[in-house]
Amino acid sequence: MSSSSARRGQVEPLAAIVAVFAVCAGLGLYAGALDGALPERDEASAQPTLHRVERAVTDGGVVAPQRLSAASDAVGSGNRLNATLVTAEQRWTVGPTAPGTARNATARVSVRTVPGSVRPGRLTVRVWP
């Protein structure tokens, strides 16, 4: 074995520090870009609020329009909510009119319009601070 093979795989300390710095800087840039690309997750997010509203107004797997007033309890503190339930024949709304900057989420639901009658409908939730 030659004397130069004993040094194989070794790196000068300064080069190792520069390499570690380059890797850390690259990871930092990647994390920053990824954070900017992901959707915002805050209390005003409409999708989780939609799920809470849907649970609050559903009875036996069917939305009951008279329970729509319970939707206002599903929004986080400091946020406002507008929930709208629509079928082909009727429309129910609870909450103030939403501004254009409100976040929206929609789900298809079954709606009990009268006892014994279930119609397809759409539940829309708008959330804003």
Side-chain angles (χ1 to χ4, degrees):
M1 190 148 63
S2 69
S3 62
S4 66
S5 65
R7 292 184 42 96
R8 197 177 318 181
Q10 295 179 355
V11 178
E12 294 292 325
L14 183 61
I17 290 173
V18 169
V20 168
F21 175 77
V23 169
C24 290
L27 285 174
L29 289 172
Y30 176 75
L34 184 63
D35 183 50
L38 292 175
E40 292 182 29
R41 299 187 58 90
D42 60 9
E43 291 299 317
S45 184
Q47 197 65 38
T49 304
L50 173 65
H51 293 305
R52 288 191 300 270
V53 167
E54 192 172 358
R55 279 193 304 260
V57 300
T58 300
D59 181 26
V62 179
V63 173
Q66 63 272 18
R67 297 183 68 175
L68 197 59
S69 61
S72 58
D73 298 334
V75 69
S77 63
N79 295 315
R80 302 185 81 188
L81 170 116
N82 175 287
T84 303
L85 180 61
V86 178
T87 65
E89 301 86 21
Q90 293 179 290
R91 177 185 193 95
W92 299 268
T93 300
V94 65
T97 303
T101 58
R103 292 191 173 106
N104 301 323
T106 302
R108 289 183 167 200
V109 294
S110 298
V111 181
R112 183 178 299 118
T113 55
V114 295
S117 179
V118 177
R119 302 276 184 242
R122 185 169 303 275
L123 177 62
T124 303
V125 171
R126 293 172 187 86
V127 182
W128 69 98

